[in-house]
Amino acid sequence: MARRPLPRILSTGSAQIARSRDLARAQFARSRELARTAGDSASDVLHPLITITRGLRRLATAGRRRWAETPKDKRGPLLFLVASVILVVALVPYGPLLAVITVMAAAAWQGRDRRPTEPDGPDESQLERLRALYEALVPYFSAADDPAPLYTHGGEWEKAFPEFEFDGTGRVGRLLVRYPAYFTDGEAQARARIEHLLTTKSGRGREYHFDWDEEGNELTVTVLAPLPTDIAAQRFVTTPGETVLGFTDPSGVQRTLPLTHGARQLDVPPVVWRTGIRSTEPHLLVVGQPGTGTSTLLRSIALQALQYGDVVIVEGGSTGEYACLTGRDGVLAVECGLAGALASMEWAATETERRLIAVNRARQAGNPPPEDTKRPLWLLLDRPTAFTHLAAADDRKDPLSLLQVPLRHGRAANVTVVVAEQWDTVDALSDAVRQHTRARVVLGPATAGQLESVLGAPPHTTPVADVPPGRGYARLGTGPVHRLQVPATPDPYDDATSDAHRQAVLELLPERTAPVEAERLTNLEKAEPEPEPVPVEAVVAETT
C-alpha cells in the first residue's frame, strides 16, 4: 500500500510556529537592547543637568541649615549683608552673568559623585592569595592521564575559581571552587583533606562552611559570621513542649524568634528542641569542658521548663550553680549530696511508674489521662558521674542506674531527662543514657572526631580552638548539625555576673515558696499507694 504524504499544513506548520517564535524573541531582544541604549544615551546627555540639579539641592540644604543655626539676634545683620551683596552684584557690569556662572560652577562641584571608585577586580595581594590556593589544590585535583587538566602548576586559576569575594581584611570571604569529575568527593577522608587545606590557606581562626555539590562538581566555601554572645535570657515566644537551646545561623533553620537585645528588637533563628509525648528526641545529653557553658544551658532549660512543669535538679559538681532555684515555685528539689541525689532519682523512677499506671488505667476505662500526669516533669542532672565513685566507695546504689525507667518510659509519662557531663568523664555514663538521649549538644572547643562521636555526624563547618562560653554544636535526632550559641543565663549570685544579665535571670525566676521540708520526697514516694505492684514492662506491653 502506497504511503500518502502528509498535508502541507501539517508538515510545515510546526516549522512556521518555531520560526515565528524565534523571530518574536529576536525582536524582543532587539527592542530591549534599543531601550537600554537609549537610556544610557539619555543618561549621558542629561548627566551635567543632573549634577547641577543635585548641587543646587545640596547648596539650598546647606543654606537652610546655616539659617537655622544662626541666632535670632544675628539674623537681621545677616539679611542686610546678603542684600548688600546682591545690590553690588546687580550694579557691577556683567555682575548678574558672573554670579550665575559662579553659582552653576559651585553647584556642579557640590553635585559631583563622591562615592569612591571600586576596583574592577582583585588587587595584587588578593591575586596572590588566589594563586596560592590554586597551586595548593593542584596535587589533589590533578591526574597524570588527564588530557585537559583543570589544575596544573602555573595554570589559569580563573577557570577553577569563577566566583570569589574578599572581606575587609583582604582574606577570602566566599569562594566557589570547581574540581574535576574524577575527584572522590563521596569519600569523607578526601573531602576532609580539601576542607583542611582551604581552612589553612584561607586564614585560621575563622569558621568556614563547606557546601559540596557532587552533581555539579563544585564546592562553595563561605566564612561564617560569629553568632551573638550577649543575648540575655528572656521569655521566648514558644508553645508548651518547645525549649530554645540557643541560636544558630539563618541558613540552618526556617524560623525566627523576636528577641530583645539591649534596646533593640531582633529576629534571631533559634534551635528549638521539642519534648513531650509526640517527641522523637525526648531526652538531651550535653557534653563540654568546665567553663564552656553546660551549667548555663541547664539553667536556661530550667527557667523555660518552670513555665509549664516541675523541675528536679541534681548537681554533682557541688558548686552551688543552681542555688538561685532553691525553694522556688515548681522546683521540687535541688540536691548536691549523694543521699539527696539517690532519694530524688528513686522518687523520679517511682513517679514515672505511677504515671504510666495511671495513664494505662484511664485509657482502659475510656477516660482522659489524669491531670497530675499531664504536667511535665524535668530531671536536670549536672555531672551525675561524680556520684558514681561516691556510691561505690559507700557501697550504695549507683544513681545512674535509677535513670533507666525515666529514660526508657519518660516520653509516655511526660518526664524529660537532661544530662550534662564533661569530656573526661563522659565514658562513665551508663548505656541507658547513651541510648535514649537522642538530642545532643557539644559546647566548647572539640575536635572533629569528638564532635562526630557525640553528635553522630560531623558538622559542615570547621571547629575553631578559641570559642566564647556557650558556643558549640547541636543535633536533634537524625537532623543536621547546627552551630549553637546558648543565651546568657549566668548564676545571679555570682559576683562576676554583669548587672544586666543578673537582672534578666532574676526576672525569670518563679516566686519563692516555703522552704522545702526534709520529708517532702518521702511523702511523694508514699503518695497514692497502689494496691498491688504492676511491673512497668507489663504496663507498657498492655498500652502498646
Side-chain angles (χ1 to χ4, degrees):
M1 183 176 181
R3 181 178 299 177
R4 295 181 180 179
L6 292 174
R8 183 176 181 83
I9 187 173
L10 295 179
S11 60
T12 61
S14 58
Q16 292 179 357
I17 293 175
R19 192 180 302 108
S20 301
R21 184 170 60 250
D22 295 341
L23 182 60
R25 290 179 179 176
Q27 291 179 353
F28 177 75
R30 192 180 301 107
S31 301
R32 185 172 56 183
E33 186 66 25
L34 290 175
R36 185 184 297 110
T37 304
D40 296 340
S41 302
S43 177
D44 294 339
V45 172
L46 299 177
H47 185 266
L49 181 60
I50 295 173
T51 302
I52 293 176
T53 304
R54 188 189 305 121
L56 290 175
R57 186 172 62 252
R58 291 177 180 176
L59 291 175
T61 303
R64 287 196 301 268
R65 189 185 307 112
R66 179 62 182 274
W67 177 259
E69 294 175 356
T70 303
K72 294 184 178 181
D73 56 344
K74 295 182 179 181
R75 291 183 178 179
L78 181 61
L79 286 176
F80 179 76
L81 178 62
V82 171
S84 302
V85 171
I86 293 175
L87 181 60
V88 171
V89 170
L91 295 177
V92 171
Y94 304 103
L97 180 60
L98 294 176
V100 171
I101 295 175
T102 303
V103 171
M104 292 297 104
W109 177 258
Q110 290 293 331
R112 72 188 188 280
D113 191 2
R114 302 179 182 179
R115 291 177 298 178
T117 58
E118 298 181 357
D120 298 335
D123 54 18
E124 189 61 30
S125 62
Q126 296 172 353
L127 288 175
E128 289 297 329
R129 286 182 176 272
L130 293 176
R131 293 193 191 100
L133 282 174
Y134 178 82
E135 293 293 335
L137 291 173
V138 169
Y140 301 93
F141 288 154
S142 61
D145 54 351
D146 190 353
L150 180 61
Y151 288 83
T152 57
H153 292 290
E156 299 179 0
W157 61 266
E158 293 86 353
K159 297 181 179 179
F161 305 150
E163 298 179 9
F164 52 86
E165 296 178 4
F166 291 88
D167 57 10
T169 61
R171 296 189 295 179
V172 176
R174 184 179 178 275
L175 181 65
L176 177 61
V177 180
R178 289 179 178 175
Y179 56 88
Y182 53 77
F183 175 71
T184 57
D185 52 5
E187 298 180 2
Q189 295 181 353
R191 295 168 62 158
R193 287 194 297 266
I194 299 300
E195 293 176 0
H196 178 72
L197 175 64
L198 292 175
T199 302
T200 305
K201 294 296 183 179
S202 299
R204 298 180 181 270
R206 300 187 298 174
E207 290 186 88
Y208 296 86
H209 179 268
F210 297 96
D211 185 12
W212 291 85
D213 183 10
E214 292 85 353
E215 296 181 356
N217 299 323
E218 293 180 347
L219 169 62
T220 303
V221 185
T222 307
V223 178
L224 297 176
L227 297 175
T229 59
D230 54 349
I231 297 181
Q234 53 193 282
R235 291 297 182 201
F236 302 115
V237 184
T238 56
T239 59
E242 291 184 344
T243 303
V244 177
L245 299 179
F247 314 106
T248 185
D249 300 302
S251 59
V253 295
Q254 299 179 355
R255 176 180 177 181
T256 58
L257 287 181
L259 300 177
T260 301
H261 187 202
R264 299 181 299 167
Q265 297 291 332
L266 300 178
D267 290 335
V268 182
V271 178
V272 179
W273 172 39
R274 293 174 176 82
T275 58
I277 298 177
R278 295 177 177 84
S279 173
T280 57
E281 304 88 20
H283 308 296
L284 175 68
L285 174 62
V286 184
V287 182
Q289 294 288 355
T292 56
T294 56
S295 300
T296 298
L297 178 56
L298 261 64
R299 267 191 303 270
S300 176
I301 293 175
L303 293 178
Q304 299 179 61
L306 288 173
Q307 291 184 264
Y308 311 104
D310 299 325
V311 175
V312 175
I313 300 175
V314 176
E315 182 187 359
S318 301
T319 57
E321 293 279 349
Y322 308 94
C324 59
L325 296 171
T326 304
R328 300 286 178 174
D329 185 18
V331 181
L332 302 183
V334 179
E335 301 294 344
C336 301
L338 177 59
L342 284 173
S344 299
M345 297 172 73
E346 287 177 357
W347 173 83
T350 305
E351 174 67 10
T352 304
E353 296 177 355
R354 185 196 68 80
R355 292 189 177 201
L356 283 175
I357 295 172
V359 171
N360 181 55
R361 289 180 175 176
R363 289 176 179 175
Q364 290 180 356
N367 299 325
E371 292 297 330
D372 58 350
T373 63
K374 295 181 180 180
R375 185 171 176 82
L377 175 61
W378 292 71
L379 304 180
L380 306 182
L381 295 89
D382 193 351
R383 296 189 63 190
T385 56
F387 295 115
T388 302
H389 177 70
L390 298 177
D394 201 14
D395 196 14
R396 305 183 69 175
K397 184 184 295 186
D398 185 4
L400 289 177
S401 63
L402 300 173
L403 286 177
Q404 185 173 2
V405 174
L407 286 171
R408 185 175 182 181
H409 309 289
R411 183 177 64 174
N414 216 352
V415 178
T416 304
V417 180
V418 180
V419 180
E421 197 52 66
Q422 297 182 1
W423 280 110
D424 52 354
T425 55
V426 70
D427 295 335
L429 293 174
S430 61
D431 294 337
V433 174
R434 295 174 177 272
Q435 181 180 359
H436 295 286
T437 52
R438 293 173 50 82
R440 303 289 181 89
V441 172
V442 177
L443 297 179
T447 62
Q450 290 176 328
L451 293 174
E452 188 173 1
S453 64
V454 175
L455 301 177
H460 293 285
T461 60
T462 54
V464 294
D466 298 328
V467 294
R471 174 68 177 82
Y473 296 90
R475 189 188 187 200
L476 305 178
T478 58
V481 179
H482 300 284
R483 286 204 310 166
L484 181 71
Q485 178 62 51
V486 178
T489 316
D491 181 10
Y493 298 160
D494 189 0
D495 296 336
T497 304
S498 63
D499 294 337
H501 291 168
R502 178 186 293 109
Q503 188 62 30
V505 175
L506 292 176
E507 291 177 356
L508 297 179
L509 290 174
E511 296 293 334
R512 189 179 295 276
T513 58
V516 181
E517 300 178 358
E519 65 273 8
R520 183 172 182 181
L521 290 176
T522 305
N523 296 335
L524 289 173
E525 290 179 359
K526 298 180 180 180
E528 197 176 343
E530 301 298 332
E532 54 180 0
V534 181
V536 178
E537 308 297 338
V539 174
V540 175
E542 294 179 4
T543 305
T544 56

